Amino acid sequence: MPLKKLPLSFYRRDDVVQIARELIGMILVTRWDGMTTSGRIVETEAYAGVTDKASHSYGGRRTGRTEIMYADGGYSYVYLCYGIHHLFNVVTHRRNTPHAILLRSLEPLAGIPEMLVRTGKKKLDHTLTRGPGNMAKALGIVKDQTGILLNGKQMFLADDGFRYKKSEIIASPRIGVDYAGEDALLPYRFYVKGNPYVSGKV
DNA sequence: GAGTAGATCCTCT
DNA sequence: GAGGATCTACTCA
């Protein structure tokens, strides 16, 4: 089955956790610098807007950085963390409901040589796109790519018909959000069981 | 193998 | 002026 771009209606639904689960197995494509790179998503985390302490938009916080989260679903939200890592998110739901999904890891498909150049690695191994910082780097994603509509030419998510078995998709608490108190325990993270590209303990 | 520090900079207080 | 949705390398055992 050929690649089919996900329609904007896919992102503009109410249940961000459900969308995060459905994104597992989809393909992320970026196309810039004259190179196409892509990979199959194997790890995501949902951030449920104003009610989620771990979210940047918790309590309705609205700043220059988080403004894009309040837009309609289907936009990219990239931001810099720890001064080094760019983290790529997909905005979901509709205007004024700031939900987002962090894409944490994917399995490289196309453009692997380009990914190796971008990350400075010598050969392909599971650390190439493991974890959100590495993944963004391998795909050439930087925070300037915030606000791109994900059904365009530069960057999009697609479905090639592949599906993991339901039993292969695991829900667990999110990573690196200990500061969020009880919300850090919510099972908003999804990953493919046993996949070497998944960050954290498998 | 486990634990920890350092990198490094944008954003909000 | 502080801290973060992280990663790597280095120390110590």
Side-chain angles (χ1 to χ4, degrees), chain A residues 34-54:
Chain A
M35 277 297 300
T36 297
T37 49
S38 70
R40 190 180 306 284
I41 298 165
V42 296
E43 188 180 5
T44 65
E45 282 181 9
Y47 286 85
V50 297
T51 62
D52 183 353
K53 289 200 184 90

Side-chain angles (χ1 to χ4, degrees), chain A residues 13 30 104 114 127 152 180:
Chain A
R13 290 178 291 155
T30 67
R104 295 184 56 87
E114 182 70 8
T127 65

Side-chain angles (χ1 to χ4, degrees), chain A residues 9-195:
Chain A
S9 58
F10 177 89
Y11 309 102
R12 294 176 183 173
R13 290 178 291 155
D14 295 349
D15 190 346
V16 65
V17 177
Q18 174 65 21
I19 299 172
R21 184 196 300 267
E22 290 178 19
L23 281 178
I24 300 286
M26 297 297 175
I27 294 177
L28 172 65
V29 182
T30 67
R31 212 180 263 166
W32 42 57
D33 302 335
M35 277 297 300
T36 297
T37 49
S38 70
R40 190 180 306 284
I41 298 165
V42 296
E43 188 180 5
T44 65
E45 282 181 9
Y47 286 85
V50 297
T51 62
D52 183 353
K53 289 200 184 90
S55 170
H56 291 155
S57 52
Y58 172 65
R61 266 196 323 167
R62 186 164 188 156
T63 65
R65 181 176 69 160
T66 61
E67 184 63 29
I68 191 68
M69 293 180 77
Y70 289 82
D72 278 320
Y75 284 95
S76 66
Y77 168 40
V78 185
Y79 94 101
L80 185 65
C81 189
Y82 299 103
I84 302 176
H85 305 292
H86 298 270
L87 274 61
F88 173 65
N89 299 253
V90 176
V91 177
T92 70
H93 210 287
R94 285 172 293 276
R95 187 163 294 279
N96 295 324
T97 303
H99 288 179
I101 297 169
L102 171 67
L103 302 190
R104 295 184 56 87
S105 303
L106 49 74
E107 194 177 305
L109 291 176
I112 290 173
E114 182 70 8
M115 294 189 201
L116 292 173
V117 171
R118 284 173 179 154
T119 55
K121 291 183 190 298
K122 296 278 185 292
K123 62 182 176 59
L124 174 65
D125 67 12
H126 61 77
T127 65
L128 181 63
T129 52
R130 177 182 170 138
N134 289 332
M135 186 202 79
K137 193 173 180 185
L139 292 176
I141 296 172
V142 293
K143 66 181 182 56
D144 295 346
Q145 265 102 29
T146 289
I148 292 177
L149 203 52
L150 294 173
N151 70 343
K153 284 212 162 92
Q154 286 188 297
M155 174 181 229
F156 56 89
L157 293 172
D159 181 6
D160 70 346
F162 179 88
R163 289 290 183 280
Y164 287 104
K165 292 194 196 71
K166 201 171 177 185
S167 61
E168 291 178 298
I169 299 177
I170 311 290
S172 80
R174 290 169 293 187
I175 307 268
V177 294
D178 296 341
Y179 60 86
E182 62 209 29
D183 282 349
L185 302 175
L186 293 170
Y188 281 4
R189 169 172 173 251
F190 298 97
Y191 64 91
V192 177
K193 187 179 180 180
N195 190 292

